[in-house]
Amino acid sequence: MQNMEIDGIAPSVDQFVDSIRDQLIQRVSLVMPLADVLKSKEMLQKEAYAIIKAEKTPQDKMRALYDALDTEGRAAKAAFYEALKDQNPHLVKELVNGMLR
């Protein structure tokens, strides 16, 4: 994560992903493409993918995805961040800039 420094401290990607959890749950509408990327990189178990897919609303899908990320750990959160940055670059830029203020 480049140029993200808050009060002289650069948070790790997993800390950043955790810190924007509530915002992403509310604002990401296309969750399955993110889950697809994580599954293709073997960062998401089949069972977790099925749970995410079964959820009805984007918010519930994101909650389930975060539950899986919490289980899978730092590498999965880093892969999620990269997928999010690729698929929602404007949202990520807005959230990063919001943290830097």
Side-chain angles (χ1 to χ4, degrees):
M1 180 173 312
Q2 298 171 318
N3 301 327
M4 183 196 280
E5 200 169 289
I6 302 167
D7 295 330
I9 301 169
S12 66
V13 170
D14 61 314
Q15 290 171 323
F16 176 70
V17 167
D18 288 341
S19 73
I20 60 172
R21 178 185 187 121
D22 293 341
Q23 294 175 68
L24 292 181
I25 287 171
Q26 295 305 315
R27 297 181 65 187
V28 173
S29 58
L30 297 175
V31 180
M32 290 313 299
L34 296 168
D36 291 338
V37 169
L38 294 174
K39 185 178 175 208
S40 73
K41 293 183 177 191
E42 299 181 0
M43 296 283 177
L44 194 60
Q45 301 294 320
K46 290 178 185 178
E47 297 82 12
Y49 183 86
I51 290 168
I52 295 164
K53 190 173 182 180
E55 293 293 349
K56 301 295 183 207
T57 67
Q59 292 84 9
D60 288 338
K61 288 180 187 294
M62 276 302 294
R63 286 184 189 98
L65 179 55
Y66 261 101
D67 288 345
L69 292 174
D70 289 341
T71 300
E72 296 297 329
R74 296 178 81 175
K77 287 181 182 181
F80 168 74
Y81 174 75
E82 290 302 320
L84 185 66
K85 196 167 61 169
D86 290 344
Q87 295 180 21
N88 297 283
H90 300 293
L91 176 59
V92 171
K93 184 176 181 180
E94 179 184 329
L95 294 171
V96 168
N97 288 340
M99 285 189 74
L100 295 176
R101 289 185 188 153

